[in-house]
């Protein structure tokens, strides 16, 4: 029995669309795999080594630092770079059982010699938009009121540029000396969370959009090194 020519002509476009979709999916996964290989090579070139994870205690502290210690989130950490006196981890936080990372590859630094009061710093303007105050309010709300705004009336330029919060306003104010405030302003970070010998940071806007090559990976380590010096006894950046 001969087929209906009209039916055949209707099926052909559908088959072509399906074939095109499958081809697109295959190309996407090939591109993603190639991108991952290049990124792994860039990390290795910059001295980052594969790690199994941050470990239970560090994971607990990281989740507490960013107010995600609700039992519903976990830390994903696959690479770290160790230097004398400190280690920088490339980590992200995601909901347990989900594949979405909330902050992909946000660096976290563990430096046992540091003793930083609990503080949060966010720029008041991000990509030209006045988002800092809202971000600060969200952080304060998630902390249950433990983090409170810290004012710097003697430095209106810094107070205009950054929203700062802490659990002990006096300790944070004293810690963020004029030298430290100037150094932090020069780094133009998109965010900083610190507590004791642990801190996380978000690179500047330019760095955030740069291809992840070996220079990009090295720049993260350089920022971590600069922050360890800045937050320790010396203020160099």
């Amino acid at each position: 029995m001969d087929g209906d020519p009209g039916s055949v002509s209707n099926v052909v476009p559908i088959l072509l669309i399906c074939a095109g979709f499958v081809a697109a999916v295959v190309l996407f996964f090939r591109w993603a795999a190639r991108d991952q290989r290049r990124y792994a090579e860039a990390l290795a070139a910059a001295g980052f080594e594969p790690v199994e994870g941050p470990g239970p205690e560090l994971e607990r502290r990281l989740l507490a630092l960013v107010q995600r210690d609700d039992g519903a989130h976990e830390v994903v950490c696959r690479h770290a770079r160790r230097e004398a006196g400190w280690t920088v981890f490339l980590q992200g936080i995601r909901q347990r059982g989900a594949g979405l990372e909330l902050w992909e590859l946000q660096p976290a630094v563990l430096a046992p010699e540091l003793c930083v009061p609990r503080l949060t710093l966010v720029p008041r303007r991000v990509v030209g938009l006045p988002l800092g105050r809202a971000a600060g309010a969200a952080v304060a709300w998630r902390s249950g009121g433990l983090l409170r705004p810290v004012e710097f009336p003697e430095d209106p330029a810094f107070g205009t540029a950054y929203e700062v919060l802490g659990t002990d306003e006096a300790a944070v104010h004293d810690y963020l000396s004029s030298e430290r405030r100037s150094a932090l302003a020069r780094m133009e970070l998109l965010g900083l969370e610190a507590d004791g010998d642990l801190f996380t940071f978000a690179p500047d806007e330019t760095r955030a959009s740069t291809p992840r090559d070996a220079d990009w990976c090295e720049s993260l380590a350089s920022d971590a090194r600069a922050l360890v010096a800045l937050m320790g006894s010396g203020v160099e950046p």
Side-chain angles (χ1 to χ4, degrees):
M1 180 182 295
D2 294 335
D4 184 354
S7 299
V8 173
S9 63
N10 290 334
V11 171
V12 170
I14 296 176
L15 292 175
L16 290 175
I17 292 173
C18 291
F21 176 78
V22 171
V25 170
V26 171
L27 287 174
F28 171 78
F29 279 104
R30 285 184 177 177
W31 171 85
R34 184 182 63 180
D35 189 58
Q36 286 296 321
R37 286 195 300 271
R38 289 178 176 175
Y39 181 53
E41 292 170 356
L43 284 168
F48 286 87
E49 301 175 349
V51 295
E52 293 295 327
E57 177 61 19
L58 183 56
E59 179 175 36
R60 182 192 65 78
R61 293 187 60 196
L62 284 168
L63 291 172
L65 189 61
V66 295
Q67 291 111 41
R68 290 293 187 275
D69 51 341
D70 52 8
H73 293 82
E74 63 183 347
V75 175
V76 179
C77 180
R78 302 186 182 96
H79 293 86
R81 172 168 163 169
R82 295 173 173 82
E83 296 201 10
W86 58 274
T87 303
V88 56
F89 300 89
L90 297 185
Q91 55 92 30
I93 295 175
R94 68 183 181 190
Q95 286 189 326
R96 293 188 183 277
L100 178 63
E101 293 184 16
L102 301 181
W103 296 295
E104 186 182 5
L105 299 177
Q106 183 178 18
V109 179
L110 183 65
E113 294 185 1
L114 293 183
C115 186
V116 183
R118 176 68 178 96
L119 66 86
T120 294
L121 180 146
V122 291
R124 291 191 184 273
R125 300 188 70 84
V126 180
V127 197
L129 300 176
L131 304 177
R133 187 172 293 277
V139 170
W141 177 79
R142 288 202 307 268
S143 74
L146 294 177
L147 289 169
R148 297 175 293 275
V150 180
E151 304 295 336
F152 295 89
E154 74 280 16
D155 191 349
F158 185 81
T160 299
Y162 293 96
E163 182 86 1
V164 181
L165 301 99
T167 54
D168 185 333
E169 297 100 314
V172 172
H173 184 279
D174 292 343
Y175 176 77
L176 290 179
S177 62
S178 176
E179 285 185 311
R180 283 196 174 101
R181 294 196 302 270
S182 297
L184 284 169
R186 287 194 296 272
M187 292 189 72
E188 299 182 339
L189 300 176
L190 289 180
L192 176 69
E193 300 264 10
D195 188 11
D197 59 356
L198 179 67
F199 66 88
T200 69
F201 67 96
D204 61 48
E205 294 176 21
T206 302
R207 204 80 52 79
S209 61
T210 302
R212 294 174 183 172
D213 55 13
D215 290 338
W216 182 88
C217 297
E218 182 60 44
S219 72
L220 291 183
S222 296
D223 281 348
R225 187 181 303 109
L227 282 166
V228 169
L230 184 162
M231 299 169 77
S233 58
V235 183
E236 299 178 1

